[in-house]
Amino acid sequence: MRRRVCRGRALTLVAVLGLAAPGCGPIRYVGDVGRAAAALEDARAAQAEKYAPYWWTRATEYLHKAREVAAYADYQGASRFGRIAADAATRAATDARIAARDPSKRPPGLPPDVAPARPSEAPPAPAPAKGSLAPAKDRP
């Protein structure tokens, strides 16, 4: 009698584990992407988009790619992209904290006397009508 109870429990355990195995991919993906999103928020708090733009961009793009790949049910690829995003976000937060403390470690930017380009006030000249020729150069 005891053997039947143990055998029944063992079969139930095997059946439950067999049904749970296909769900491992999404579970791992959710964990990896969750860690990446948390690390990205930590990097945002450290102003990584200003002080560590390379690692910040890498983290955000890989997190976006992880979510995109997961939409196609490729959870292994999405998990890999999530881990890369988490590593990049951690590096961005670390580099941003170092750069915030020490100005000499900040990324190079524009010199203070350089202003962004402004659009010209005059609109561009219209293209010549079809069939007409425009002079190549005005001569006096």
Side-chain angles (χ1 to χ4, degrees):
M1 182 80 163
R2 194 164 177 98
R3 287 185 185 173
R4 284 187 183 176
V5 172
C6 289
R7 189 177 303 161
R9 287 182 184 167
L11 288 175
T12 304
L13 180 64
V14 168
V16 168
L17 290 176
L19 291 174
C24 290
I27 292 170
R28 174 171 259 162
Y29 155 75
V30 169
D32 289 339
V33 170
R35 276 190 292 281
L40 203 58
E41 285 303 314
D42 184 38
R44 184 186 314 273
Q47 297 181 336
E49 63 271 8
K50 179 179 178 183
Y51 294 122
Y54 172 78
W55 293 107
W56 169 259
T57 304
R58 182 180 169 110
T60 56
E61 292 301 318
Y62 271 103
L63 182 61
H64 176 73
K65 188 65 176 179
R67 290 177 175 155
E68 180 183 326
V69 170
Y72 292 101
D74 180 9
Y75 296 110
Q76 183 177 7
S79 179
R80 185 180 67 238
F81 286 131
R83 285 191 306 271
I84 293 170
D87 292 342
T90 303
R91 177 82 183 263
T94 303
D95 287 358
R97 285 188 188 100
I98 290 170
R101 276 184 274 148
D102 186 7
S104 67
K105 307 258 183 186
R106 291 185 181 167
L110 291 175
D113 60 336
V114 176
R118 282 187 258 165
S120 64
E121 286 75 23
K130 195 171 192 174
S132 68
L133 297 175
K137 203 184 235 188
D138 290 331
R139 293 191 182 193

